[in-house]
Amino acid sequence: MHIEHLQLKNYRNYEKLDISFDDKVNLIIGENAQGKTNLMEAIYVLALTKSHRTSKEKELIQWDKDFSRVEGRVFKQNRSFPLEIILSNKGKKAKLNRIEQQRLSDYIGAMNIVMFAPEDLTLVKGPPHTRRRFIDMELGQIQPRYIYHLGQYQKILKQRNHLLKQLQRRETKDPTMLRVLSEQLVEHASSLLERRFVFLDLLRKWAGPIHHGISRSLEKLEIQYNPTIEVSEEENKEKIETIYLQRFQEIEEKEIDRGTTLIGPHRDDLTFRVNGKDVQVYGSQGQQRTAALSVKLAEIELIHKEIGEYPILLLDDVLSELDDYRQSHLLHTIQGKVQTFVSTTSVDGINHETLRKAEQFHVDNGTVDT
């Protein structure tokens, strides 16, 4: 799989861009604040319909413009097809094969990507929402139905929290509607949890051996999923639903008192352990970065296993954050099999065959020269 061509219109500091890419490695070189990350972000948006940097889509539209458009041509499963994202004040349109998709779950997954940026190095030591977002983004690409359940869950969760605030302030006293919303929420929560369990089991199988190799066989990586209910990963959807409903009954008064939903996938987390110790708490920075790198490399292999093709890899200004050994391991792993975009201010100090053969693009104030 690779992206053959990209066109931008009114996207951040790009008024207009029309560019073709190499199917192996593309080096995006330029000083800071010139548009390297904007170019990487545009590819991310084309794949996932949203930015990894901001939730405010109006920031993606160039100043004083009414819309922004990202178009690309992707080669996947022996065929080439167009993708298009249009952002405006009226909302967002996603087109696959020039046909607008009414549901994002019908669009996401057409182009698969793995992003590795400096902030991803905080996957292990950062706040829980970064790990939940990681699961949602990667799982959504290989299981579009997950995106549907996630969207419905978030919609009902918002309604339920609003009602809990009303009950907390005594603006309403009848909890009947709360119980109805709980049942609706549980239907989607159980689907999300069941799918997350399966995903984490696959991720472990890839990340463990990769981490073992990067650490020169000195460390063992374990990844544990921490749900807000007492449930094992072997439970089916029906059993998870039953446990959720029972728990919601038990904590109803507590949730009303707090005015918010206290359990569910939106509060779950992951724990990374190296040689039995929580690496978030006890690990060195090197161990934390090795764990994050292992997970990212595992994503690549997991997606390949699930869809039969390697995803596109975006390395946004991350090589300078890795030492020589981890750099070499990363570049050696992807060599010759993954279309890769590497953004950097300079290639000085990065001495690897993969980059010596790369197509180079120089970015300067929203223009790109080869």
Side-chain angles (χ1 to χ4, degrees):
M1 180 193 321
H2 60 274
I3 180 169
E4 301 174 321
H5 197 79
L6 182 71
Q7 290 181 297
L8 303 182
K9 179 72 173 177
N10 303 333
Y11 188 89
R12 291 213 188 247
N13 69 331
Y14 289 96
E15 184 175 349
K16 188 177 181 181
L17 180 67
D18 193 327
I19 189 170
S20 297
F21 297 116
D22 185 79
D23 64 355
K24 295 295 188 293
V25 181
N26 300 272
L27 263 177
I28 315 297
I29 306 169
E31 297 298 323
N32 292 326
Q34 298 303 303
K36 300 191 308 296
T37 293
N38 292 345
L39 181 56
M40 304 287 265
E41 178 191 46
I43 298 171
Y44 187 98
V45 168
L46 188 65
L48 295 174
T49 78
K50 62 174 65 177
S51 168
H52 65 294
R53 299 156 70 195
T54 178
S55 59
K56 299 176 182 177
E57 291 177 350
K58 66 179 181 180
E59 293 180 9
L60 308 183
I61 303 173
Q62 197 170 56
W63 184 255
D64 285 343
K65 296 296 193 299
D66 296 325
F67 75 98
S68 177
R69 183 169 62 239
V70 182
E71 295 180 74
R73 179 161 286 277
V74 177
F75 186 84
K76 180 180 179 181
Q77 295 174 341
N78 296 318
R79 67 187 183 97
S80 180
F81 56 89
L83 295 175
E84 183 178 358
I85 300 292
I86 302 172
L87 304 166
S88 70
N89 294 330
K90 297 178 182 178
K92 175 167 54 183
K93 292 181 181 179
K95 295 183 180 181
L96 171 59
N97 276 325
R98 310 200 186 283
I99 299 172
E100 184 176 349
Q101 305 298 303
Q102 299 304 314
R103 297 181 301 184
L104 293 182
S105 58
D106 292 332
Y107 177 94
I108 294 173
M111 180 171 93
N112 304 93
I113 63 166
V114 170
M115 164 72 83
F116 196 16
E119 56 266 28
D120 291 307
L121 290 169
T122 67
L123 177 66
V124 173
K125 66 176 182 179
H129 71 82
T130 61
R131 290 179 284 279
R132 290 192 292 267
R133 187 176 184 278
F134 151 71
I135 295 173
D136 292 340
M137 289 297 98
E138 301 315 320
L139 186 47
Q141 290 191 72
I142 57 176
Q143 289 191 23
R145 191 68 180 168
Y146 181 88
I147 296 291
Y148 166 76
H149 286 296
L150 182 63
Q152 293 299 306
Y153 179 84
Q154 291 171 338
K155 179 181 176 181
I156 297 166
L157 178 65
K158 187 175 180 180
Q159 295 173 338
R160 192 174 187 275
N161 283 338
H162 179 69
L163 180 57
L164 283 167
K165 287 291 185 188
Q166 291 181 319
L167 289 164
Q168 181 192 46
R169 294 192 292 257
R170 304 290 194 271
E171 293 171 7
T172 183
K173 295 182 179 179
D174 186 2
T176 303
M177 188 58 191
L178 177 65
R179 290 159 191 168
V180 171
L181 288 174
S182 295
E183 291 181 5
Q184 294 176 355
L185 191 71
V186 161
E187 178 185 349
H188 299 288
S190 55
S191 290
L192 293 177
L193 192 54
E194 182 183 45
R195 291 163 193 261
R196 284 184 181 183
F197 281 157
V198 173
F199 173 75
L200 262 297
D201 187 51
L202 293 172
L203 188 68
R204 288 187 196 104
K205 290 177 181 178
W206 288 108
I210 290 171
H211 188 278
H212 194 63
I214 297 175
S215 67
R216 299 177 172 93
S217 304
L218 296 175
E219 296 177 352
K220 178 183 178 183
L221 175 68
E222 299 170 280
I223 308 173
Q224 177 183 318
Y225 189 84
N226 304 318
T228 49
I229 57 173
E230 292 187 12
V231 58
S232 74
E233 297 189 14
E234 288 73 35
E235 305 290 6
N236 59 25
K237 183 176 181 291
E238 290 71 25
K239 179 62 175 178
I240 296 172
E241 280 187 12
T242 301
I243 295 171
Y244 265 129
L245 286 172
Q246 181 179 343
R247 192 75 185 107
F248 273 127
Q249 291 173 5
E250 294 169 354
I251 63 172
E252 184 177 287
E253 290 185 12
K254 187 176 182 180
E255 286 193 312
I256 293 172
D257 184 56
R258 299 272 189 92
T260 192
T261 302
L262 297 176
I263 61 171
H266 68 292
R267 286 176 172 260
D268 293 353
D269 198 1
L270 296 176
T271 298
F272 296 87
R273 287 192 171 85
V274 171
N275 293 343
K277 294 182 178 179
D278 186 341
V279 72
Q280 181 180 21
V281 179
Y282 301 105
S284 66
Q285 185 182 67
Q287 287 177 317
Q288 292 171 346
R289 292 187 170 201
T290 298
L293 176 58
S294 300
V295 168
K296 285 294 172 179
L297 292 176
E299 283 183 66
I300 295 171
E301 299 299 339
L302 192 157
I303 291 174
H304 176 250
K305 177 69 174 178
E306 291 299 300
I307 69 170
E309 295 200 31
Y310 281 105
I312 295 163
L313 177 63
L314 306 178
L315 300 176
D316 186 19
D317 219 13
V318 76
L319 289 183
S320 60
E321 300 288 330
L322 299 173
D323 60 28
D324 291 345
Y325 179 72
R326 292 180 180 86
Q327 270 186 20
S328 295
H329 197 100
L330 169 58
L331 294 172
H332 179 73
T333 301
I334 64 173
Q335 191 171 7
K337 62 183 182 182
V338 181
Q339 186 188 33
T340 305
F341 293 83
V342 181
S343 72
T344 182
T345 55
S346 173
V347 292
D348 293 342
I350 304 175
N351 184 25
H352 195 278
E353 183 183 356
T354 301
L355 298 190
R356 285 197 292 272
K357 296 179 178 179
E359 187 84 17
Q360 291 193 11
F361 301 88
H362 297 268
V363 180
D364 182 24
N365 196 25
T367 61
V368 181
D369 295 318
T370 55

